[in-house]
Amino acid sequence: MGQGESTSRSVWSSAAHLWIATFTGLVALGISLYNFVVLQRPPKVDVALPRLVRIEPRAPGNAVHFFLQPTLSIRRKTENVEVITDAQLRLAPTDVNAPRPRFFWLDYGNYVYDFETNRDNWEKSSDPTPILVSQERPSLSTFNFNADAWHFRPGRYEGSLILHRSGGAPMTARFCLLVSAADVKTFKESPERHAFVFRNDILDASVATRNPGCYVSAQ
């Protein structure tokens, strides 16, 4: 092998190593930039409604508490957090002659089971304050909404949970609620601070056909 050929191969090898190193560096830089962009992008919050809600008539005919526990989560990768600044509940009866309630966010917390009384007891965590939602920590708190000077009538209600956030337009999760005449009678006869469970997964063929996915009494 001649000296010229050896020198040529050495130059080619050095150039190849340089190109490989440059290419590897560019790939690493591209991955770093991609990860930086992904982690810094605004969070996208998903809202999942629960299988059940609780309704608590307080001093029958005077007020209603409505307990709703949505799951607020961020599925796509990001280091940013979302801040839920306000929550609203709207419940509209399909009967145009029925009065509409005006709910306001009273507080939030969780229901805790009491083995001695065999009941779920409401435990308040906080007054209405901003809620932080991150990818590592989804929100599972129960919202407690209150409507004064109002009571249920039998019929179907169209509900909306509206969550205002700092990072974009409000998010809305819609649902429906069925209240029977028997439910209303039970509400009026119930003691103070007794909550009734309504579920949207009760397999009642007649109800499911006419009102798929609606919350109905589980009593």
Side-chain angles (χ1 to χ4, degrees):
M1 180 183 299
Q3 183 177 359
E5 184 179 354
S6 176
T7 301
S8 177
R9 288 189 177 182
S10 177
V11 171
W12 182 90
S13 177
S14 297
H17 282 297
L18 177 61
W19 279 107
I20 291 173
T22 302
F23 178 76
T24 302
L26 289 174
V27 171
L29 177 61
I31 293 175
S32 298
L33 290 174
Y34 174 79
N35 288 334
F36 176 78
V37 171
V38 166
L39 292 176
Q40 296 303 315
R41 63 185 176 181
K44 183 179 183 299
V45 178
D46 293 313
V47 183
L49 293 178
R51 286 298 182 188
L52 64 86
V53 298
R54 289 179 172 88
I55 296 172
E56 179 184 307
R58 299 173 66 84
N62 293 331
V64 170
H65 280 197
F66 196 105
F67 299 91
L68 182 66
Q69 184 184 26
T71 299
L72 310 180
S73 61
I74 299 174
R75 290 187 294 176
R76 71 183 188 182
K77 192 172 183 180
T78 178
E79 288 185 345
N80 290 325
V81 299
E82 184 61 277
V83 181
I84 304 302
T85 57
D86 192 17
Q88 296 176 319
L89 176 67
R90 295 177 182 172
L91 205 59
T94 54
D95 181 0
V96 295
N97 296 318
R100 291 194 176 195
R102 298 185 62 181
F103 282 97
F104 62 90
W105 182 13
L106 183 63
D107 52 37
Y108 66 85
N110 285 290
Y111 269 94
V112 178
Y113 180 71
D114 187 333
F115 287 92
E116 293 185 2
T117 61
N118 193 30
R119 289 186 58 182
D120 291 327
N121 296 321
W122 173 249
E123 288 192 0
K124 173 181 173 179
S125 298
S126 174
D127 293 325
T129 55
I131 298 174
L132 297 180
V133 183
S134 67
Q135 189 178 33
E136 293 76 18
R137 296 186 63 182
S139 172
L140 299 172
S141 293
T142 299
F143 291 84
N144 177 18
F145 296 96
N146 182 79
D148 290 324
W150 182 80
H151 59 85
F152 278 100
R153 291 185 183 183
R156 173 176 169 136
Y157 295 79
E158 301 298 334
S160 298
L161 174 65
I162 304 169
L163 299 175
H164 297 264
R165 53 182 176 157
S166 61
M171 302 173 294
T172 301
R174 292 180 171 83
F175 61 93
C176 55
L177 173 74
L178 297 182
V179 178
S180 67
D183 293 332
V184 173
K185 182 176 184 295
T186 303
F187 291 166
K188 292 181 178 180
E189 296 173 352
S190 68
E192 182 82 4
R193 296 181 179 274
H194 182 83
F196 297 89
V197 174
F198 281 67
R199 301 189 62 101
N200 65 4
D201 58 354
I202 294 180
L203 301 179
D204 185 324
S206 60
V207 173
T209 301
R210 299 191 308 272
N211 303 277
C214 282
Y215 291 102
V216 297
S217 175
Q219 312 306 319

